């Protein structure tokens, strides 16, 4: 599996699937979800509707679940919605949820013909440490014992001085 680290906008990546982080309960959209949805990926809204229906039914989605949705537009065919955010800022739970969600995405990738995925560092905008994100990603990759269908992961770091340190850490971690 190849891992690339880039600066830019997630919505500009042409890929099989975007991986986005979500909260199990309703909350305001984050900038990554907003950006991808406004660039044409209407599947984001479909997932939000699913999540709200589950919440109203008193069966909110579990932390760490990965749900595949048709993107219905934009530069990706699928959106992999990972429930890894939480309103309590429980970083250990977020890290475990990122790992579990990515593992689930790797398991189901073949079912949706997803060989290339693009994501921002999941939950880092919520306060998760960038090194914890890297550890969760590596652990998910190493834990999956089947043949990896995902061939390429692109981690997109938004432009800006505040992201430069995260970009450098990711570059160092995934240098080939």
């Amino acid at each position: 599996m190849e891992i690339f680290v880039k600066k830019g906008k997630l919505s500009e990546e042409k890929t099989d699937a975007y991986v986005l982080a979500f909260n199990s309960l309703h909350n305001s959209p984050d900038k990554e979800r907003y950006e991808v949805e406004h660039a044409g990926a209407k599947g984001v809204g479909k997932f939000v509707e699913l999540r709200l229906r589950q919440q109203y039914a008193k069966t909110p989605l579990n932390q760490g679940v990965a749900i595949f949705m048709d993107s219905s537009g934009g530069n990706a065919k699928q959106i992999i919605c990972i429930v890894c955010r939480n309103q309590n800022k429980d970083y250990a739970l977020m890290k475990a949820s990122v790992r579990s969600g990515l593992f689930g995405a790797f398991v189901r990738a073949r079912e949706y013909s997803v060989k290339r995925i693009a994501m921002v560092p999941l939950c880092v905008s919520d306060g998760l440490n960038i090194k914890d994100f890297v550890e969760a990603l590596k652990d998910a990759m190493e834990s999956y014992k089947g043949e990896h269908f995902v061939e390429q992961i692109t981690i997109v770091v938004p432009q800006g001085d505040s992201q430069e340190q995260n970009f450098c850490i990711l570059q160092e971690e995934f240098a080939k």
Side-chain angles (χ1 to χ4, degrees):
M1 196 178 312
E2 291 182 291
I3 298 179
F4 299 98
V5 179
K6 295 174 128 180
K7 289 183 185 179
K9 290 184 174 186
L10 182 62
S11 62
E12 293 174 353
E13 286 298 310
K14 290 184 174 65
T15 188
D16 295 330
Y18 293 133
V19 179
L20 297 173
F22 288 88
N23 191 314
S24 63
L25 304 173
H26 182 68
N27 64 337
S28 298
D30 67 346
K31 59 187 172 289
E32 295 95 12
R33 187 192 107 188
Y34 222 54
E35 173 205 329
V36 168
E37 187 172 23
H38 284 4
K42 302 304 178 210
V44 172
K46 292 177 190 175
F47 175 76
V48 171
E49 290 172 13
L50 169 75
R51 183 187 65 181
L52 287 172
R53 281 195 307 274
Q54 293 293 117
Q55 185 179 343
Y56 292 141
K58 305 268 191 260
T59 56
L61 298 172
N62 292 325
Q63 288 290 127
V65 70
I67 297 176
F68 284 69
M69 301 291 290
D70 183 340
S71 73
S72 300
N75 284 328
K77 297 183 289 185
Q78 296 285 322
I79 298 172
I80 303 171
C81 308
I82 296 182
V83 180
C84 54
R85 293 190 155 124
N86 68 55
Q87 55 274 20
N88 299 328
K89 301 293 184 188
D90 181 341
Y91 301 120
L93 178 59
M94 278 197 260
K95 179 181 176 183
S97 298
V98 167
R99 183 225 170 267
S100 176
L102 289 171
F103 182 85
F106 296 150
V107 169
R108 298 183 61 210
R110 183 181 309 277
E111 183 180 339
Y112 293 93
S113 299
V114 171
K115 291 186 176 208
R116 299 173 301 124
I117 63 175
M119 69 178 108
V120 296
L122 300 175
C123 294
V124 170
S125 64
D126 298 301
L128 186 68
N129 183 302
I130 189 74
K131 291 186 179 186
D132 285 338
F133 163 74
V134 169
E135 191 176 305
L137 172 58
K138 286 181 174 181
D139 188 40
M141 290 169 48
E142 293 167 4
S143 296
Y144 182 62
K145 300 300 181 197
E147 180 184 341
H148 278 277
F149 194 73
V150 173
E151 297 173 352
Q152 177 183 322
I153 297 173
T154 303
I155 303 170
V156 180
V157 179
Q159 297 279 14
D161 292 338
S162 64
Q163 297 293 322
E164 193 62 35
Q165 183 178 6
N166 289 344
F167 179 76
C168 291
I169 290 170
L170 289 166
Q171 285 278 64
E172 184 178 305
E173 287 290 333
F174 297 111
K176 301 249 177 224

